[in-house]
């Protein structure tokens, strides 16, 4: 589905946003300007007073006219196409912005700094982002102040080599990528709306209305066991390391008995499990844990026949209802700054990419499931801006309409904007003049909706946005001495255990005198005491380090000494990953990203880190 402008490049780069009644499950909220007031061209999106079927806006200070408001009765899926007039652009390139359906009209100011949610305890869940220089232009790589050493929290990390010179187009997701929501307010809003749907629409007891949401409790990368009511964190080998039933931690024996003794390893996938792989899922995961605890203590109050898996299904249904009836949209539209962060560096980043000769485009999640399949034969229609009527096209090229002998363009003049409904990634590649999928870099926050699908199905290059990473790397730096000490304690345990094993062998098999055996036995007992001391010291230090990252789930990218399942997915499917999309502005648009060297266990202690 796409939406297309034919405007010459202006500053900042035109961005088109679309919304429709087709509400996605995960990317449920998008910034949407409406319709095209002149104040938009000061980089501010305004909120319409009434909901519309879809809206279109272009960011460009040179535009002096605005298309009329659009409110057709059909589902809107669209893209924006614009030809670049820069002679220095490498190759024949076109600009395109594709967007899908999305339920929100909201305000998005580019004038101030913003904060982003990060992992950690309740007191340190935010880290300041954006410009804090009193309104001065934010620093980007291409500015005189650019090209300096980059703060580790804003660095882009590389899993697979990527030469940006080979990239012709950079695409973006909207929610939690270009648009950063405040989870302490937005996710609480979603939680409250879901509670009301459970009570008033699905027959759950009214006492649920008194519940509250701890937005810091859940993290991405968890897995919900729908049948058993458990929440799991596992390593890259799918071994469960941390497990809770509701909010009650499972004992080691229960954990191993449930998940550790199967001859065939569980896949931990749908339909029996739910993956918490997007920030939109944190509220429903927390509510599921609350319902599990409530059911265990108040079985008679739960709707008849509602086991753990049914309760999860009800939660998902309630979340979808909140999106469909406009509950979230209306509240956010009243006070967008309460729910949406601001980033002063996004527009300069987009301009820098455009100035480098690359096209930019936008694809929201509601469009992506089918949009990403090249076999998708969805028709592409042009939308007439004045009437909202759909016009036949030949894969984007104008066609004569019924009763007419010549093709028709919806808008006239050089600064025309063409809007389309439907389409697929094949249309996108054609409009961008993309000959190879590897010429596209796609940036998103959702492993499955954004990164995995675009990587495996299309072969696009990918960058994953992980807002929690900012706090994660900051803590890693602060705790670097602690982690070195943990490694020393672990090595000390190994050394003591080796000595114990050797003495035990000597006592059992070697022919020694009684005095020698007594001496060996005393040494053996002393070593056992020392082993217990070091073991307890090591475990306590590990536990404290674990809690520094998150009091329940620990480090996002680790479970003990292994990469977490989430980290494994990042490594497999994201060519690049970073904390914020605007971190792209800190690097040359022609940068060659190279991965760090992989270490095998046999190399780890030989090659200095």
């Amino acid at each position: 589905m796409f939406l297309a402008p034919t405007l010459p490049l202006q500053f900042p780069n035109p961005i088109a946003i679309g919304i429709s009644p087709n509400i996605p499950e995960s990317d449920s909220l998008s910034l949407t300007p409406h319709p095209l007031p002149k104040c938009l061209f000061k980089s501010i999106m305004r909120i319409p007073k009434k909901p519309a079927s879809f809206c279109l806006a272009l960011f460009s200070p040179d535009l002096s006219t605005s298309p009329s408001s659009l409110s057709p009765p059909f589902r809107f899926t669209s893209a924006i196409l614009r030809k670049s007039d820069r002679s220095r652009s490498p190759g024949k390139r076109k600009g395109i912005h594709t967007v899908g359906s999305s339920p929100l009209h909201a305000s998005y100011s580019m004038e101030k700094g913003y904060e982003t949610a990060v992992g950690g305890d309740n007191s340190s869940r935010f880290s300041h982002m954006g410009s804090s220089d009193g309104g001065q232009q934010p620093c980007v790589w291409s500015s005189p102040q650019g090209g300096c050493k980059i703060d580790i929290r804003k660095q882009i990390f590389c899993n697979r080599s990527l030469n940006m010179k080979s990239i012709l187009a950079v695409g973006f997701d909207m929610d939690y990528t270009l648009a950063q929501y405040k989870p302490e307010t937005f996710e609480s809003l979603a939680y409250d709306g879901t509670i009301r749907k459970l009570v008033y629409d699905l027959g759950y007891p009214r006492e649920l209305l008194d519940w509250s949401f701890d937005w810091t409790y859940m993290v991405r990368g968890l897995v919900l066991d729908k049948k058993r009511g458990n929440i799991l964190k596992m390593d890259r080998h799918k071994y469960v390391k941390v497990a809770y039933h509701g909010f009650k931690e499972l004992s080691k024996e229960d954990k191993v008995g449930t998940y550790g003794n199967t001859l065939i390893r569980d896949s931990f996938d749908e339909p029996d499990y739910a993956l918490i792989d997007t920030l939109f899922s944190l509220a429903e995961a927390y509510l599921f844990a609350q319902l599990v605890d409530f059911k265990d203590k108040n079985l008679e109050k739960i709707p008849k026949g509602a086991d753990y898996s049914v309760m999860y299904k009800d939660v998902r249904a309630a979340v979808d209802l909140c999106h469909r009836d406009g509950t979230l949209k209306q509240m956010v539209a009243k006070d967008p700054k309460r729910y949406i962060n601001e980033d002063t560096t996004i527009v300069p980043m987009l301009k820098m990419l455009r100035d480098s000769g690359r096209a930019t485009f936008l694809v929201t999640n509601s469009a992506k499931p089918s949009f990403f399949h090249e076999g998708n034969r969805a028709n592409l229609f042009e939308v007439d801006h004045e009437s909202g009527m759909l016009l036949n096209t030949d894969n984007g090229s104008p066609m004569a309409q019924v009763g007419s002998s010549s093709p028709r363009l919806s808008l006239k003049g050089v600064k025309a904007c063409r809007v389309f409904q439907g389409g697929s990634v094949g249309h996108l590649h054609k409009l961008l003049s993309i000959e190879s999928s590897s010429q596209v870099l796609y940036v998103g926050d959702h492993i499955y909706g954004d990164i995995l699908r675009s990587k495996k199905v299309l072969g696009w290059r990918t960058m994953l946005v992980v807002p929690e990473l900012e706090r994660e790397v900051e803590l890693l730096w602060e705790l670097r001495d602690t982690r070195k000490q943990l490694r020393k304690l672990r090595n000390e345990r190994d050394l003591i255990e080796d000595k114990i094993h050797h003495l035990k062998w000597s006592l059992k098999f070697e022919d020694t005198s009684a005095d020698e055996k007594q001496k060996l036995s005393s040494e053996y007992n002393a070593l056992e005491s020392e082993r217990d001391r070091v073991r307890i010291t090591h475990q306590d230090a590990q536990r404290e380090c674990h809690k520094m990252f998150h009091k329940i789930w620990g480090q996002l990218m680790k479970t003990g000494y292994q990469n977490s399942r989430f980290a494994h997915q990042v490594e497999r499917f994201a060519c690049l990953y970073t904390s914020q999309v605007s971190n792209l502005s800190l690097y040359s648009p022609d940068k060659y990203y190279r991965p760090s060297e992989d270490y095998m266990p046999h190399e780890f202690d030989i090659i200095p880190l």
Side-chain angles (χ1 to χ4, degrees):
M1 64 178 192
F2 332 22
L3 195 129
T6 56
L7 298 173
L9 180 62
Q10 304 290 346
F11 174 80
N13 185 34
I15 297 179
I17 311 297
I19 65 170
S20 93
N22 180 23
I23 307 302
E25 292 184 1
S26 58
D27 273 15
S28 58
L29 193 60
S30 293
L31 302 175
T32 306
H34 176 73
L36 262 175
K38 292 182 180 179
C39 60
L40 264 179
F41 310 134
K42 296 181 180 180
S43 299
I44 299 178
M45 297 184 182
R46 298 279 183 185
I47 307 170
K49 295 182 178 180
K50 296 182 181 180
S53 297
F54 69 86
C55 304
L56 166 66
L58 302 178
F59 281 4
S60 181
D62 292 342
L63 295 178
S64 59
T65 58
S66 302
S68 58
S69 174
L70 301 173
S71 55
F74 51 82
R75 179 176 302 169
F76 179 65
T77 53
S78 60
I80 290 193
L81 170 66
R82 182 188 60 196
K83 293 183 179 179
S84 174
D85 61 349
R86 298 193 175 267
S87 59
R88 61 185 176 87
S89 300
K92 181 182 178 182
R93 294 177 182 175
K94 299 177 181 179
I96 181 167
H97 295 255
T98 69
V99 301
S101 56
S102 170
L104 174 68
H105 304 284
S107 173
Y108 191 50
S109 171
M110 302 293 186
E111 297 172 351
K112 300 178 181 178
Y114 76 102
E115 293 179 327
T116 179
V118 292
D121 58 25
N122 294 2
S123 62
S124 60
R125 294 278 287 183
F126 286 92
S127 177
H128 190 73
M129 293 285 292
S131 174
S132 58
D133 53 9
Q136 297 179 7
Q137 190 72 7
C139 177
V140 296
W141 176 87
S142 57
S143 68
Q145 300 81 18
C148 301
K149 184 176 180 180
I150 300 172
D151 187 319
I152 190 173
R153 297 171 300 175
K154 298 175 182 287
Q155 290 180 11
I156 295 175
F157 303 98
C158 180
N159 288 319
R160 277 173 293 283
S161 296
L162 193 159
N163 189 347
M164 285 294 292
K165 287 185 177 180
S166 67
I167 298 298
L168 302 185
V170 182
F172 300 92
D173 179 36
M174 173 59 81
D175 300 324
Y176 279 113
T177 302
L178 288 179
Q180 287 289 332
Y181 303 115
K182 301 177 181 179
E184 80 281 15
T185 53
F186 175 72
E187 298 302 335
S188 294
L189 180 64
Y191 171 90
D192 292 339
T194 302
I195 286 282
R196 289 192 293 273
K197 298 299 182 184
L198 286 173
V199 172
Y200 297 121
D201 296 342
L202 298 176
Y204 281 75
R206 294 183 62 87
E207 53 198 284
L208 270 65
L209 297 172
D210 298 326
W211 289 3
S212 60
F213 173 48
D214 180 1
W215 69 272
T216 68
Y217 188 90
M218 294 296 179
V219 298
R220 278 201 288 183
L222 302 178
V223 177
L224 304 188
D225 184 340
K226 299 178 188 177
K227 289 185 176 180
R228 300 182 180 93
N230 297 339
I231 299 101
L232 316 173
K233 184 181 180 185
M234 59 191 69
D235 66 18
R236 64 191 180 96
H237 303 294
K238 297 187 179 180
Y239 285 100
V240 176
K241 298 293 187 177
V242 185
Y244 278 75
H245 178 76
F247 295 109
K248 180 182 178 182
E249 186 174 11
L250 293 183
S251 67
K252 183 177 181 179
E253 293 74 22
D254 289 341
K255 182 175 62 179
V256 172
T258 304
Y259 302 107
N261 289 332
T262 54
L263 294 176
I264 301 176
R265 296 296 300 161
D266 201 325
S267 64
F268 295 102
D269 291 325
E270 294 284 359
D272 295 333
Y273 298 89
L275 308 179
I276 307 304
D277 51 20
T278 172
L279 293 172
F280 283 116
S281 303
L282 301 186
E284 62 191 61
Y286 187 81
L287 181 51
F288 177 68
Q290 286 182 300
L291 287 172
V292 168
D293 274 8
F294 185 78
K295 174 180 171 61
D296 292 345
K297 298 171 184 176
N298 306 277
L299 183 59
E300 73 284 353
K301 295 183 179 180
I302 293 294
K304 187 176 180 180
D307 57 17
Y308 299 130
S309 59
V310 170
M311 290 194 304
Y312 176 79
K313 184 178 179 180
D314 288 344
V315 169
R316 284 294 315 126
V319 170
D320 289 343
L321 283 173
C322 286
H323 294 312
R324 291 194 184 101
D325 68 3
T327 300
L328 299 181
K329 174 173 62 176
Q330 293 167 10
M331 293 299 294
V332 176
K334 289 180 181 178
D335 188 9
K337 288 189 177 181
R338 175 176 170 80
Y339 303 101
I340 302 170
N341 291 311
E342 297 172 312
D343 187 348
T344 61
T345 56
I346 286 181
V347 168
M349 175 200 70
L350 294 173
K351 181 182 185 298
M352 185 176 72
L353 288 173
R354 290 293 304 174
D355 287 348
S356 72
R358 288 165 180 84
T360 58
F361 64 93
L362 173 69
V363 182
T364 64
N365 195 47
S366 57
K368 285 179 288 193
S370 60
F371 180 83
F372 275 150
H373 289 285
E374 293 201 42
N376 180 5
R377 294 292 183 264
N379 293 323
L380 186 65
F381 298 96
E382 184 175 357
V383 180
D384 184 90
H385 284 225
E386 296 180 359
S387 66
M389 294 179 61
L390 297 183
L391 308 176
N392 292 325
T393 72
D394 180 12
N395 292 329
S397 300
M399 288 180 63
Q401 306 302 307
V402 175
S404 174
S405 59
S406 61
R408 172 190 176 188
L409 290 175
S410 58
L411 290 179
K412 298 179 176 63
V414 176
K415 296 183 178 181
C417 176
R418 300 179 63 197
V419 183
F420 297 92
Q421 179 193 12
S424 69
V425 71
H427 297 109
L428 174 60
H429 283 185
K430 179 181 177 182
L431 292 166
L432 286 171
S433 298
I434 294 295
E435 297 178 356
S436 171
S437 294
S438 62
Q439 294 173 322
V440 178
L441 172 64
Y442 189 68
V443 187
D445 72 297
H446 188 184
I447 282 283
Y448 288 95
D450 300 330
I451 303 304
L452 185 150
R453 196 182 305 273
S454 58
K455 182 70 176 175
K456 293 187 69 175
V457 176
L458 299 180
W460 285 358
R461 307 308 301 272
T462 54
M463 186 171 90
L464 182 69
V465 175
V466 186
E468 309 96 308
L469 187 64
E470 192 163 304
R471 177 62 174 164
E472 183 110 338
V473 296
E474 184 178 28
L475 275 172
L476 285 171
W477 178 255
E478 293 174 0
L479 297 172
R480 61 193 183 280
D481 292 335
T482 300
R483 292 167 65 85
K484 289 179 182 178
Q485 185 61 29
L486 283 171
R487 187 183 299 178
K488 290 180 180 179
L489 286 170
R490 192 184 190 197
N491 292 338
E492 188 176 352
R493 286 181 66 180
D494 289 341
L495 181 61
I496 293 172
E497 288 174 355
D498 285 342
K499 291 180 179 179
I500 289 174
H501 296 156
H502 190 269
L503 284 173
K504 188 175 182 180
W505 185 275
S506 298
L507 286 168
K508 184 174 183 180
F509 295 107
E510 292 183 8
D511 187 11
T512 57
S513 64
D515 290 343
E516 185 66 21
K517 282 190 175 182
Q518 181 63 37
K519 182 181 178 180
L520 291 175
S521 295
S522 297
E523 187 178 351
Y524 179 86
N525 292 334
L527 283 171
E528 281 197 320
S529 297
E530 180 67 7
R531 178 193 61 187
D532 292 342
R533 183 193 67 79
V534 174
R535 175 177 54 82
I536 292 172
T537 302
H538 184 219
Q539 289 176 345
D540 289 345
Q542 272 189 312
R543 192 175 297 110
E544 290 305 310
C545 187
H546 175 94
K547 290 180 179 179
M548 286 292 292
F549 288 93
H550 192 280
K551 60 184 179 181
I552 302 297
W553 308 108
Q555 192 175 341
L556 179 68
M557 298 290 188
K558 283 282 191 292
T559 49
Y561 288 97
Q562 295 287 310
N563 283 347
S564 65
R565 189 185 190 191
F566 180 75
H568 183 54
Q569 293 167 341
V570 172
E571 188 176 36
R572 287 181 65 196
F573 302 117
C575 300
L576 310 174
Y577 64 101
T578 191
S579 61
Q580 300 290 337
V581 65
S582 53
N583 294 345
L584 275 169
S585 68
L586 304 176
Y587 292 82
S588 165
D590 289 332
K591 180 176 175 60
Y592 198 134
Y593 292 94
R594 296 179 175 90
S596 57
E597 183 179 354
D598 290 339
Y599 286 100
M600 290 288 289
H602 70 276
E603 299 176 294
F604 190 76
D605 292 324
I606 299 174
I607 304 174
L609 299 181

